[in-house]
Amino acid sequence: MAIETEIKLSLPAGAARRVPAHALLANSQPLRQKLVNTYYDTPDRRLQRKRLAVRYRRKDSAWLLTIKSDAASPGGLAQRREWEAPGQPGEFDFSHVDNPKLRRFLEAAIPELAPVFSTDFTRSFWLLTPQEGTRIEVALDRGKIVAGDRQEAICEVELELLEGKVADLFDAALALQKDLPLHPESASKAERGYRLADETTLTPAKAADAELAMGMTSIAVFRSTLFSCLAQLQGNERGLRETNAPEFIHQARVAMRRLRSAIRLWRPLLPEEYVSNFDPRWRTLANQLGDTRNWDVFITEILPPINKAFPDHADLHRLTSQANSHLAACRKTAQAAMTAPTYSQLLLEFTAATLALPESKKPPITAFAPRSLNKRAKRVAELATETKDADPEARHALRVALKRLRYALEFFAPLFPARRIQRYQQNATGLLDLLGRMNDTTVAEQLAVQALPGHHSDLVRAWLTGRNDLMLSQLDSLLTKFLSHPPPWEHG
């Protein structure tokens, strides 16, 4: 088994001709290969569910049978297990797979393996040797993915580490990105092929648990947590750019909130330059998406019950029209932010810097986690005592603190008893849901005045005031319920 380490970067087709002229590559002639690959799976997509790719590749006149793990590639970095051996299409000899359990799984699937999709592209590649002991292959792939009568273009740059350090790979990628519109991609050709073959509808990507294992340092847990956040963010990129569905922006913002919350959580262990460089950049990007989310909530959740109660009110018709105009403008801003070069650069630079963070065995995660959770729980308790009859700003501060506590608990959940964690999270979720709806009401009042200044927004603001008073009456009991349960990490 080999471990393939590569960075995958997409680029617009019109920019492909600029790649060979880049200073990093201009002094050497590229080699070219025509590569045709056919990917196989069972009718029930057994391999896809295991995140495995089985393909036959025609390389010159030879055929290679390849098995790859198709792991997620946050920030463009992919580190995959790979087994490769000569073969002939239609024949599946997996004897070269040195993992007995995986080999048995693949051999059991042989009778049902059938072609699912193919990739057909020309690869131009250069070998870089920036220093002794470092070899990097830079490949420009141009072609197509084919599944039945459907096609999708391939235009991407891959940098594969043949020898050396991952940091060297990122140095080369960042040098190329300075002059080329390269965007780190999380989806492999295989993942795109399955999506095309199955005509998969884009669905919002939600937060997934980070990978935690015994013996991981606190920084290793941080790194795994951040890459989980990046996977969620990049899983929503395409839907955000290409559709108007509100949930893609919502989940992208959730990913960035979780990411920034993780940076704050681990801040005592992080280099100050790392925090001061990246936290403001993520905050700026999140803010560029924030107005779109506010107008989405206003139009889809706040206005419908008011319109239902007053269906013929002229001011409401004007308000709805104005709100949709504001939403359209904000959505253009959000989509522009997610296609801007600054976003692509942030992804690549952030991934490189996160991988380069120095490791230390101290403090162990079993000590760092409870200490960090206690700090956040104490802050929540302090704000809760001040919030019962407080103004919206105080409730918002409590909501932010409680979110940070909930995210921290989600990050560290595998370290504590699942039953206690679940009970605590349920209470926190109920309180957060109420505080979130109260915050939406406060924001909605501001948006109503923005869309319809003066007395024209009186009806909406009066309705929102009544709704807020009703929720305020529920706040005290939910606060009491939440604070009465002991934190689960104190009994782990």
Side-chain angles (χ1 to χ4, degrees):
M1 179 190 73
I3 299 293
E4 179 189 63
T5 301
E6 66 179 19
I7 296 174
K8 186 182 295 293
L9 305 156
S10 63
L11 78 163
R17 59 183 176 79
R18 293 164 49 193
V19 174
H22 191 277
L24 206 62
L25 311 174
N27 292 329
S28 60
Q29 283 294 113
L31 298 176
R32 287 185 173 84
Q33 289 179 330
K34 177 76 169 176
L35 300 175
V36 180
N37 307 276
T38 301
Y39 289 77
Y40 295 80
D41 206 337
T42 59
D44 62 356
R45 300 292 190 261
R46 212 172 303 156
L47 273 61
Q48 184 188 19
R49 291 201 304 272
K50 287 274 191 180
R51 298 195 67 87
L52 291 170
V54 170
R55 76 178 185 215
Y56 258 106
R57 164 172 286 182
R58 191 179 70 203
K59 190 174 182 180
D60 298 326
S61 59
W63 289 93
L64 292 173
L65 173 62
T66 305
I67 300 94
K68 280 190 180 186
S69 60
D70 192 27
S73 309
L77 177 69
Q79 293 180 301
R80 300 184 174 101
R81 296 173 298 160
E82 182 182 61
W83 296 264
E84 198 164 63
Q88 287 296 321
E91 300 176 5
F92 296 99
D93 180 0
F94 296 118
S95 59
H96 63 293
V97 177
D98 56 4
N99 182 314
K101 185 177 179 180
L102 175 58
R103 186 172 63 248
R104 289 193 297 269
F105 171 81
L106 292 168
E107 289 172 345
I110 288 175
E112 298 179 74
L113 290 178
V116 179
F117 59 90
S118 64
T119 61
D120 184 342
F121 56 92
T122 298
R123 169 166 288 177
S124 304
F125 60 96
W126 298 258
L127 184 64
L128 301 182
T129 54
Q131 59 200 21
E132 187 176 350
T134 300
R135 293 188 303 125
I136 297 169
E137 182 182 279
V138 179
L140 170 63
D141 294 344
R142 298 199 66 185
K144 60 188 176 182
I145 303 171
V146 180
D149 58 357
R150 295 177 297 281
Q151 295 186 7
E152 185 174 304
I154 295 172
C155 189
E156 60 190 31
V157 170
E158 290 184 359
L159 293 90
E160 183 176 354
L161 185 66
L162 305 179
E163 183 183 3
K165 301 175 182 178
V166 175
D168 300 326
L169 196 64
F170 273 96
D171 287 343
L174 288 165
L176 288 170
Q177 195 188 51
K178 283 183 180 179
D179 303 301
L180 296 167
L182 297 169
H183 180 73
E185 287 292 341
S186 61
S188 65
K189 292 184 182 73
E191 185 177 341
R192 292 172 61 195
Y194 274 116
R195 207 160 52 201
L196 188 65
D198 297 336
E199 298 182 85
T200 305
T201 303
L202 282 175
T203 56
K206 297 189 176 182
D209 292 336
E211 294 183 10
L212 269 68
M214 292 296 294
M216 289 178 70
T217 66
S218 294
I219 289 297
V221 175
F222 171 71
R223 190 179 291 119
S224 179
T225 300
L226 284 193
F227 287 170
S228 174
C229 296
L230 284 183
Q232 181 189 6
L233 174 61
Q234 293 197 263
N236 290 289
E237 283 178 356
R238 187 178 172 192
L240 195 159
R241 293 192 304 255
E242 299 178 8
T243 79
N244 293 334
E247 190 63 14
F248 289 106
I249 279 189
H250 174 52
Q251 291 301 328
R253 291 189 72 229
V254 168
M256 282 185 273
R257 281 202 304 267
R258 288 169 59 86
L259 184 151
R260 293 187 64 221
S261 184
I263 291 175
R264 285 178 165 80
L265 184 66
W266 268 273
R267 183 168 188 161
L269 309 184
L270 299 174
E272 182 53 39
E273 61 271 19
Y274 176 91
V275 178
S276 61
N277 180 6
F278 293 110
D279 187 59
R281 294 165 71 182
W282 285 116
R283 181 178 65 243
T284 297
L285 182 61
N287 289 340
Q288 289 173 312
L289 273 58
D291 287 342
T292 307
R293 176 60 183 166
N294 289 339
W295 284 111
D296 271 328
V297 171
F298 185 74
I299 291 169
T300 61
E301 298 179 22
I302 301 296
L303 283 182
I306 308 177
N307 279 319
K308 185 176 181 180
F310 305 97
D312 301 318
H313 201 288
D315 285 343
L316 287 178
H317 293 305
R318 289 178 57 202
L319 179 58
T320 300
S321 176
Q322 288 293 319
N324 278 298
S325 295
H326 282 288
L327 173 60
C330 290
R331 181 169 282 124
K332 286 183 180 179
T333 299
Q335 290 170 335
M338 294 294 283
T339 55
T342 49
Y343 172 55
S344 301
Q345 292 159 7
L346 174 57
L347 280 175
L348 198 57
E349 291 173 13
F350 182 67
T351 304
T354 302
L355 284 166
L357 288 171
E359 296 277 358
S360 174
K361 293 183 178 180
K362 294 182 180 180
I365 194 65
T366 50
F368 178 74
R371 185 165 70 236
S372 301
L373 289 166
N374 280 331
K375 180 180 178 181
R376 276 149 185 77
K378 182 180 178 182
R379 177 62 176 160
V380 168
E382 290 171 351
L383 290 171
T385 59
E386 304 169 2
T387 302
K388 294 182 180 180
D389 298 308
D391 56 20
E393 288 77 11
R395 291 195 297 271
H396 178 65
L398 172 61
R399 177 171 168 258
V400 170
L402 189 56
K403 272 189 177 183
R404 289 176 180 171
L405 173 60
R406 187 185 70 176
Y407 290 151
L409 193 55
E410 289 173 357
F411 298 154
F412 296 139
L415 302 175
F416 306 108
R419 186 174 298 177
R420 292 196 185 105
I421 291 284
Q422 185 178 19
R423 190 183 307 124
Y424 192 80
Q425 286 178 325
Q426 285 173 346
N427 290 327
T429 299
L431 180 55
L432 270 172
D433 179 65
L434 179 65
L435 289 168
R437 286 184 284 121
M438 295 180 78
N439 183 69
D440 289 343
T441 301
T442 301
V443 172
E445 290 187 43
Q446 299 165 359
L447 296 182
V449 172
Q450 181 181 342
L452 278 185
H455 66 85
H456 295 291
S457 60
D458 287 350
L459 174 63
V460 173
R461 288 187 288 115
W463 191 91
L464 291 171
T465 298
R467 182 184 182 186
N468 192 67
D469 289 344
L470 180 63
M471 290 188 288
L472 194 59
S473 67
Q474 304 169 24
L475 182 58
D476 187 49
S477 61
L478 284 178
L479 278 170
T480 302
K481 182 179 179 182
F482 174 74
L483 294 173
S484 66
H485 283 82
W489 58 88
E490 293 184 354
H491 300 271

